[in-house]
Amino acid sequence: MENLENKNSLEQVKEESLTSDSLKKLASFYSLFADPTRLTIIALLCERELCVNDLASVLDMSQSRVSHQLAILRSQDIVKYYRKGKQVLYTIADNHIKDLFRTGLEHISEKDEEVYLDRKRRGI
């Protein structure tokens, strides 16, 4: 009798779980945060809007490389842009992204004193 209840319980767990397709999409989303360059862009844009030239200068990268990373982030609604005269400014798409970034940073800083001190020094 116990095995039958356990099977029913496991079936319920299975039915309540996210689908494989949903989990693959979530994994793809989180993979965007696995690249140090993209994380740097996210960190910078969490603080202020910047144009490609400014990002390229801060990152010491070519504009084309920065534009490529921004295109990847735009494709997943991590960043958005708008025109201000001749300038194109980038910003974080919404507060969910800022929250994810800051929560991840807070999480790792609990176990890593160097990250904690870096975070504290920057007021994040």
Side-chain angles (χ1 to χ4, degrees):
M1 190 63 101
E2 190 172 278
N3 285 340
L4 182 59
E5 286 178 21
N6 190 28
K7 282 183 181 180
N8 288 337
S9 178
L10 290 175
E11 285 301 316
Q12 184 178 358
V13 167
K14 203 172 180 181
E15 287 176 16
E16 293 171 354
S17 297
L18 291 171
T19 65
S20 175
D21 190 46
S22 292
L23 292 170
K24 284 177 187 174
K25 289 176 182 176
L26 185 61
S28 176
F29 171 76
Y30 277 117
S31 74
L32 297 169
F33 293 85
D35 180 88
T37 300
R38 288 193 293 265
L39 273 180
T40 303
I41 291 170
I42 291 167
L44 292 168
L45 295 178
C46 277
E47 300 305 316
R48 65 189 55 82
E49 15 184 78
L50 294 166
C51 67
V52 174
N53 292 342
D54 293 338
L55 287 165
S57 178
V58 170
L59 295 167
D60 195 27
M61 293 173 61
S62 70
Q63 289 180 16
S64 64
R65 284 185 63 207
V66 171
S67 292
H68 175 72
Q69 295 301 325
L70 287 167
I72 292 169
L73 294 171
R74 271 194 331 265
S75 74
Q76 295 294 315
D77 297 320
I78 304 292
V79 300
K80 61 183 179 180
Y81 68 95
Y82 69 94
R83 292 193 182 279
K84 187 176 183 180
K86 291 183 179 182
Q87 204 170 36
V88 177
L89 293 171
Y90 285 84
T91 186
I92 295 297
D94 60 49
N95 285 333
H96 295 113
I97 304 306
K98 288 180 182 181
D99 292 344
L100 282 169
F101 176 79
R102 290 185 177 135
T103 299
L105 191 58
E106 183 179 326
H107 177 73
I108 62 168
S109 72
E110 289 177 358
K111 302 274 188 210
D112 189 313
E113 187 174 353
E114 183 181 340
V115 176
Y116 172 79
L117 293 172
D118 191 28
R119 197 175 133 227
K120 189 172 182 167
R121 180 175 60 86
R122 296 177 192 275
I124 300 173

